[in-house]
Amino acid sequence: MYFADKFQLNHENGIFIGLYLAEGNTHKSAVCITNREPSIISFVQSWFTKFNIPYVNRERINKIGGVSSTTSGSCILLSRFLDQFVGRLAHNKYVPTEAFTAPEEFITGLLSGYFSGDGTIGRGTIEASSCSERLIEGISMLCNRIGIFGKMSKSQLKKNNFGTKSIKPTYRFAIRANWGNMFKER
């Protein structure tokens, strides 16, 4: 298994980091991205292949009857790198410091990956959310860096369909009006 000793801040790696921030997790020796979209599964598999990281794809039925698809790449070095570079567990994830001074191609890749995983497009709005306030603040700052502005907000669910006892707040970043068109173009 080969993984480069230097992580390039290019568009493709930006997409991977964005997808990981949105839908990824690590285990001791694996990096997993959970998403059912065929184009995302294909991208993740190609990314793992590029770095000679063996992977498997698994589908399972979750607690509420939905089907999830997870692509898991087996690489201890990548798992450790991601834990240090962008944090571990959803509520501890963040945009890495290096992203704020990275080339624009990395930033647009990261934003594309993140919104592809945790974003929604509604009538007149593009929105992303996370239980990590630091992550949403970072996403907002990256958007600002490329001239796109939005609004952050916070909400708190009292219960959910999983029966979670301690529900964390949700932080949202919404891009509206002409900023949404700029986001689409970029």
Side-chain angles (χ1 to χ4, degrees):
M1 287 167 276
Y2 167 76
F3 186 71
D5 61 346
K6 291 185 180 180
F7 189 79
Q8 294 181 2
L9 300 180
N10 59 33
H11 188 74
E12 187 177 38
N13 288 346
I15 292 171
F16 183 81
I17 292 297
L19 287 169
Y20 176 80
L21 286 169
E23 312 214 85
N25 63 65
T26 58
H27 302 285
K28 285 184 179 180
S29 63
V31 174
C32 306
I33 307 286
T34 301
N35 192 298
R36 290 185 58 206
E37 173 60 39
S39 63
I40 290 176
I41 293 168
S42 177
F43 173 85
V44 172
Q45 290 173 344
S46 295
W47 195 90
F48 284 146
T49 299
K50 178 180 178 180
F51 290 102
N52 296 318
I53 298 171
Y55 65 86
V56 296
N57 196 62
R58 292 187 179 93
E59 288 193 356
R60 70 179 185 92
I61 299 173
N62 64 26
K63 293 178 186 177
I64 60 171
V67 177
S68 68
S69 179
T70 300
T71 305
S72 301
S74 181
C75 183
I76 294 169
L77 183 59
L78 179 60
S79 179
R80 288 180 185 164
F81 169 74
L82 290 172
D83 285 351
Q84 291 178 5
F85 192 55
V86 296
R88 187 165 199 276
L89 304 175
H91 61 282
N92 292 324
K93 288 183 182 176
Y94 53 88
V95 171
T97 304
E98 293 80 1
F100 300 114
T101 58
E104 191 171 305
E105 67 175 317
F106 179 78
I107 293 169
T108 57
L110 188 153
L111 291 171
S112 176
Y114 187 75
F115 278 87
S116 293
D118 270 352
T120 58
I121 298 173
R123 190 163 185 225
T125 187
I126 299 167
E127 199 170 290
S129 62
S130 173
C131 60
S132 169
E133 181 176 23
R134 183 177 174 194
L135 175 55
I136 291 299
E137 286 173 345
I139 294 297
S140 173
M141 286 188 266
L142 289 181
C143 284
N144 292 344
R145 165 115 188 269
I146 62 170
I148 296 168
F149 302 93
K151 179 182 178 182
M152 285 184 54
S153 61
K154 175 183 173 182
S155 62
Q156 178 68 55
L157 289 175
K158 302 232 186 278
K159 64 181 182 174
N160 64 20
N161 53 359
F162 289 105
T164 306
K165 300 236 187 276
S166 179
I167 301 173
K168 300 208 178 287
T170 300
Y171 300 91
R172 298 183 191 289
F173 180 67
I175 301 167
R176 294 188 175 98
N178 62 328
W179 304 116
N181 290 330
M182 283 184 79
F183 181 86
K184 182 177 142 185
E185 291 170 13
R186 302 296 309 265

